[in-house]
Amino acid sequence: MRTFSDRLVDTLLKTGSPCVVGLDPRIDRMPSFIKSGRTGNSARAVIRDFHELVLDTVTGLASVVKPQLAFFEQYGSAGIQAFEDTVQAAKQRGLLVIADGKRNDVDSTAEAYAAAYLGENAFDVDAMTVTPYLGGDSMIPFVDACREHCKGIFIVLKTSNPGSSDYQDQTLQKTGRPLYETVAETIRDFGDGLMGESGYSSIGAVVGATFPEEARCLRALLPNAFILVTGYGAQGASPEGAAACFNEDGLGAIVNSSRGITYSFGNENVTKGAFVKSVRENTLRMCDEITAALAISS
Amino acid sequence: MRTFSDRLVDTLLKTGSPCVVGLDPRIDRMPSFIKSGRTGNSARAVIRDFHELVLDTVTGLASVVKPQLAFFEQYGSAGIQAFEDTVQAAKQRGLLVIADGKRNDVDSTAEAYAAAYLGENAFDVDAMTVTPYLGGDSMIPFVDACREHCKGIFIVLKTSNPGSSDYQDQTLQKTGRPLYETVAETIRDFGDGLMGESGYSSIGAVVGATFPEEARCLRALLPNAFILVTGYGAQGASPEGAAACFNEDGLGAIVNSSRGITYSFGNENVTKGAFVKSVRENTLRMCDEITAALAISS
């Protein structure tokens, strides 16, 4: 099988879309037509039906979907069953799946997380997000699993929230540079050992597009890494901020929007047709905005 | 309801044991008698039965159990159902439950994690572990949930692995001190707003006992925080390293052992009686070792 990075490049070239559709199940915000006529505890079925409709709509318009585990976990094991359904449905439609759970731990526990998401026995997604605070050795089991199973990881590097300055931006005495640059060096080193034919590695970075200057710096530091760009839309990042995360070849970044695509349909009494139209138009608009910003910046 | 910290102090005074029994389900390492006679996909039942036996054995000898989510997640949604069973079984036996998942994210996603673990609708444990890299604002939803539901969190501060030096130990230009001390200040500030009658706050810290000097420094920086001590036993931390995490009142820390308690029974053909004896003796030995080290250090 081809590396994750090569499979990602393949699908990006095929769809022409750098859009990642974030799947954050929030049943209370879903349209009434999805929920009506059900009885009892039907969280799993509601989430499955909602996502199948979203997936049918965005197939061909987006390259990747990013289910956010927190929103599934809030429905307990029924939510995790819905996560399994969602992953399956996305893969059946040829979409790549990044499980966003920002997992990590030390030692054999990191191995268990890598097995859970990147191995073949449990969730078996294409890539997952990983946090760095525990240090380089905590990431090795994930990198090893990427190599073994042709999967990818995106290591959390510089997040989109104001508090990302608390620790990530702290200048280190040793380097005179922010902490996130030291984390970026770890990402680069792991990536050097996992390079695809495309010239991109399967070890990516999560970067918030709310800080374009930092994004430009990280883009330069990590020329061969894919950046998973967050904060677009609802969190206030601009198309220009997202464009700063791309390479000149128009690749090297994928941009996530969650609420901006799936929950911007207005009133809960929206019809199925109007909901589908809203998801479709929001995805296309985001794609157009980023493409336009890339054309200006290049 | 009393705060998490007060409930923890209550149970510690009642049992006299600072031991946390880590529950890391690894079916391949479980005794044969737990697995025999089953057919098909029975991961949930095997994990449930194994943990019920462990819980029956350690009730009264330990104050807290710490299911490690990674090991449940590797069995997919069946593993999460087993996690729900395990939480329920522990609570029925009067044990406090810390879900060790090292979760965090920004904004409404952090709210979803807090709702999943600390709210009343999904897993409803007593406390959970949280990672700090995303910054102070990412922790607010967890702190708010602790206040609302009388729950606790343990923020990952200084981990037990060699790579914990990569970022956690980096000296910051601003303070001339390691990053983990800045994280400790955040923990202290959140804790000041969530103090119990016991004088302990419900915002604790995860500290590896493999670095006794750093542990002593963090103990002094966080006099009112509970420290969840990791790395005991299998990861090489000594009773003296664990003792460095306690206050002079003999409180302020709880010490986890996972493999050292539940998987130290020797051969997979162990009898049920010998397995129970092994779990019981390993728990008592750990408790004795720590109590002895505390007597020497005080």
Side-chain angles (χ1 to χ4, degrees):
Chain A
M1 193 153 86
R2 288 162 67 71
T3 66
F4 169 72
S5 57
D6 287 348
R7 289 188 288 128
L8 179 57
V9 169
D10 288 347
T11 185
L12 289 171
L13 294 176
K14 190 170 141 198
T15 62
S17 165
C19 295
V20 178
V21 176
L23 303 174
D24 298 3
R26 304 171 173 210
I27 293 175
D28 58 326
R29 297 199 188 181
M30 290 182 188
S32 300
F33 74 83
I34 286 281
K35 295 181 273 189
S36 65
R38 300 197 195 260
T39 54
N41 188 353
S42 53
R44 178 182 181 176
V46 168
I47 296 171
R48 183 197 59 216
D49 290 358
F50 180 74
H51 284 155
E52 285 191 349
L53 196 51
V54 171
L55 292 168
D56 281 338
T57 309
V58 303
T59 299
L61 309 180
S63 301
V64 184
V65 292
K66 181 179 76 62
Q68 168 52 258
L69 279 154
F71 290 100
F72 292 88
E73 286 173 77
Q74 67 180 339
Y75 300 106
S77 59
I80 301 302
Q81 290 174 319
F83 171 71
E84 291 173 330
D85 298 338
T86 301
V87 170
Q88 206 51 41
K91 288 166 81 169
Q92 281 165 355
R93 287 160 179 79
L95 291 156
L96 292 175
V97 180
I98 302 172
D100 191 3
K102 301 189 172 57
R103 301 296 200 251
N104 206 357
D105 212 301
V106 302
D107 200 37
S108 58
T109 311
E111 286 172 27
Y113 276 130
Y117 292 92
L118 307 176
E120 285 152 10
N121 292 331
F123 303 123
D124 196 12
V125 294
D126 297 291
M128 68 187 292
T129 57
V130 170
T131 51
Y133 186 74
L134 282 72
D137 60 5
S138 71
M139 304 176 212
I140 292 173
F142 296 96
V143 175
D144 288 345
C146 287
R147 185 176 295 110
E148 186 180 350
H149 302 290
C150 293
K151 301 292 180 75
I153 55 171
F154 292 86
I155 296 170
V156 177
L157 180 52
K158 168 70 185 159
T159 51
S160 58
N161 55 318
S164 75
S165 61
D166 293 349
Y167 314 129
Q168 298 164 32
D169 291 3
Q170 287 296 323
T171 304
L172 305 187
Q173 208 166 67
K174 193 174 75 175
T175 61
R177 308 285 309 161
L179 170 64
Y180 62 72
E181 291 194 15
T182 298
V183 178
E185 285 166 16
T186 309
I187 296 173
R188 192 190 53 207
D189 292 348
F190 281 132
D192 284 347
L194 229 89
M195 205 63 73
E197 293 172 6
S198 56
Y200 283 99
S201 85
S202 291
I203 309 300
V206 179
V207 175
T210 41
F211 304 104
E213 199 173 321
E214 287 83 348
R216 240 168 256 122
C217 155
L218 290 168
R219 178 69 285 171
L221 271 175
L222 294 168
N224 306 105
F226 260 98
I227 293 178
L228 171 59
V229 183
T230 61
Y232 194 84
Q235 287 169 61
S238 64
E240 294 69 32
C245 298
F246 283 77
N247 276 325
E248 286 183 8
D249 61 2
L251 292 169
I254 49 177
V255 186
N256 180 74
S257 176
S258 306
R259 280 170 280 177
I261 290 177
T262 53
Y263 295 104
S264 290
F265 51 79
N267 189 299
E268 64 172 345
N269 293 319
V270 64
T271 62
K272 185 172 170 182
F275 172 75
V276 166
K277 187 164 176 278
S278 161
V279 170
R280 182 179 169 77
E281 286 180 355
N282 288 326
T283 310
L284 286 170
R285 185 183 312 116
M286 179 188 168
C287 190
D288 288 347
E289 285 169 357
I290 295 166
T291 309
L294 279 174
I296 292 165
S297 71
S298 67
Chain B
M1 193 153 87
R2 288 161 69 69
T3 64
F4 168 72
S5 56
D6 287 347
R7 290 188 288 128
L8 179 57
V9 169
D10 289 346
T11 186
L12 289 170
L13 294 176
K14 191 172 140 198
T15 61
S17 165
C19 297
V20 178
V21 177
L23 303 173
D24 298 3
R26 303 171 175 212
I27 293 175
D28 58 327
R29 297 199 188 181
M30 290 182 187
S32 300
F33 73 83
I34 285 280
K35 295 181 273 189
S36 64
R38 300 195 195 262
T39 53
N41 188 352
S42 53
R44 178 182 180 175
V46 168
I47 296 171
R48 183 196 58 216
D49 290 357
F50 180 74
H51 284 155
E52 285 190 349
L53 195 53
V54 171
L55 292 168
D56 281 337
T57 308
V58 303
T59 299
L61 309 180
S63 300
V64 184
V65 292
K66 182 179 77 63
Q68 168 52 258
L69 279 154
F71 290 99
F72 292 88
E73 287 172 78
Q74 67 180 339
Y75 300 106
S77 59
I80 301 302
Q81 289 174 320
F83 172 70
E84 291 173 330
D85 298 338
T86 301
V87 170
Q88 206 51 40
K91 289 166 80 168
Q92 281 165 356
R93 287 160 178 79
L95 291 155
L96 292 175
V97 180
I98 302 173
D100 191 3
K102 299 190 173 57
R103 301 295 200 253
N104 206 358
D105 212 300
V106 302
D107 201 36
S108 58
T109 311
E111 288 172 25
Y113 276 130
Y117 291 92
L118 307 176
E120 287 151 10
N121 292 330
F123 304 123
D124 195 13
V125 294
D126 296 291
M128 69 187 290
T129 57
V130 169
T131 51
Y133 186 74
L134 282 72
D137 60 5
S138 71
M139 304 176 210
I140 292 174
F142 296 95
V143 175
D144 287 346
C146 287
R147 185 176 295 111
E148 186 180 351
H149 302 291
C150 294
K151 301 291 180 77
I153 55 172
F154 292 86
I155 296 170
V156 177
L157 181 51
K158 168 70 184 158
T159 52
S160 58
N161 55 318
S164 75
S165 62
D166 293 349
Y167 315 128
Q168 298 165 31
D169 291 4
Q170 287 296 322
T171 303
L172 305 187
Q173 210 165 64
K174 194 173 75 175
T175 61
R177 309 285 309 162
L179 171 65
Y180 63 71
E181 291 195 15
T182 298
V183 177
E185 285 166 16
T186 309
I187 295 174
R188 193 189 55 207
D189 292 347
F190 281 133
D192 285 346
L194 229 89
M195 206 62 74
E197 292 171 6
S198 57
Y200 283 99
S201 85
S202 291
I203 310 299
V206 179
V207 175
T210 40
F211 304 103
E213 199 173 321
E214 287 83 348
R216 239 168 256 122
C217 155
L218 290 169
R219 178 68 284 171
L221 270 176
L222 294 169
N224 306 106
F226 260 98
I227 293 178
L228 171 58
V229 183
T230 61
Y232 193 85
Q235 285 169 62
S238 65
E240 294 68 33
C245 297
F246 283 77
N247 276 325
E248 286 182 8
D249 61 2
L251 292 169
I254 48 177
V255 186
N256 180 75
S257 177
S258 305
R259 279 170 280 177
I261 290 177
T262 52
Y263 295 103
S264 291
F265 51 80
N267 189 299
E268 65 172 346
N269 293 320
V270 64
T271 63
K272 186 172 167 180
F275 172 75
V276 166
K277 186 163 178 279
S278 161
V279 170
R280 184 180 168 78
E281 286 180 355
N282 289 326
T283 310
L284 286 170
R285 184 182 313 116
M286 179 186 168
C287 190
D288 288 346
E289 285 170 357
I290 296 167
T291 309
L294 279 173
I296 293 166
S297 71
S298 67

